[in-house]
Amino acid sequence: MSQGQSIRLQPDQASDELAIKYGDVFDVAGGLASKPIAPRDADTMLAAETQVLGKPLDTGAATVMYSAAAANVTTGVVGPDEGNEMVEREGVSVSRSRDARGKLFVNEAIADHTLCECRYNPYDVRGITLSPAPAPNIRDEQWRAPSSNPTPTPHMGAVDRSGDGITIGEALEATTLSIGDKPVDQGDAAAIRVAESRAASSWLSQHSGLGTRAQAAATFNDRQVCDHIMITISDVLSDATEKLPLDKAVTTEDAAGVRGVEQREKPDMVATPGGVADTLETAARVNRDKLLRNNCRSCRLSANYPFK
């Protein structure tokens, strides 16, 4: 079987019920809504975003598709190299336009099904170049991508446990002990994305990582009514240290940054007690106290050295 050929699985009814379909996470109808999101679909959308915008969008369709596809592979609904025939036949499209104020409008679609229509201020799209003198309603670029030759999924790098103390990955895993059964919401997803970015000390394209998994979970949960089928914190963070390509000790700056983002995404502007922000804050306090103790010990040793 060639690499570009679709793998057609026959999942049982139980696994099909667990599948994350396009209709679960996007406002689409028709045949696409009932299709499970597959890995090669996400590859294709990523290629389109990168070609048109210069980098993938943190909150774009590819981000959600990668995490949904990863979950579907885990449940056995789709294979790791599978793509939907409809996506491969019709392709995906990403287009962008600008208004007179420089706001960027991005439209992402499969065939004639719009997955995402996003509006961004210029300062919200770092790394995406805008014209210095935009004219009203200019169509900048549109790209349609076939799925037969997708851009490969970014490879997760080697784990580097730099620093001394409780790491961000370890703190995220500890969150499962306090609120593991809590369904993931948008505030949790935002906090996890920022924590993952701070662990790497830079913006990395981690389309199968924690942030995208959390965003897909929050989007899925928003469309559900029954709590028992929602994706929980434990589902997302139980293997956090393995999913982070880089990790580091939590600092007070990391904890403050995560708390600010989580609060902004909460309807009541209050971070979840025992949640991501609280756990990172506790880890940062432990690390700070440990550093102070070590510094004091070093100072005492240095002061006593001449008398030894």
Side-chain angles (χ1 to χ4, degrees), residues 44-184:
T44 307
M45 185 61 74
L46 171 65
E49 286 185 2
T50 304
Q51 177 70 22
V52 173
L53 304 171
K55 74 167 191 176
L57 291 170
D58 293 340
T59 57
T63 292
V64 177
M65 290 168 68
Y66 264 107
S67 285
N72 286 341
V73 169
T74 300
T75 58
V77 177
V78 299
D81 299 317
E82 186 174 358
N84 275 291
E85 181 182 356
M86 180 178 182
V87 178
E88 300 198 349
R89 183 179 66 250
E90 302 290 342
V92 309
S93 66
V94 174
S95 63
R96 69 178 186 180
S97 60
R98 323 171 259 139
D99 64 13
R101 297 184 178 181
K103 287 187 177 181
L104 179 71
F105 295 82
V106 177
N107 182 282
E108 300 179 274
I110 293 177
D112 58 347
H113 299 276
T114 297
L115 303 186
C116 180
E117 287 183 312
C118 306
R119 176 186 298 180
Y120 301 93
N121 289 318
Y123 52 80
D124 290 333
V125 285
R126 290 169 294 179
I128 299 177
T129 303
L130 294 176
S131 171
N137 300 323
I138 292 180
R139 175 68 63 184
D140 283 336
E141 189 172 359
Q142 183 172 6
W143 190 67
R144 295 188 62 84
S147 296
S148 58
N149 188 26
T151 299
T153 305
H155 180 66
M156 301 292 281
V159 176
D160 176 15
R161 303 299 179 197
S162 59
D164 186 24
I166 303 171
T167 68
I168 289 176
E170 291 167 343
L172 290 175
E173 282 192 7
T175 306
T176 64
L177 301 177
S178 55
I179 59 165
D181 293 334
K182 176 186 178 297
V184 180

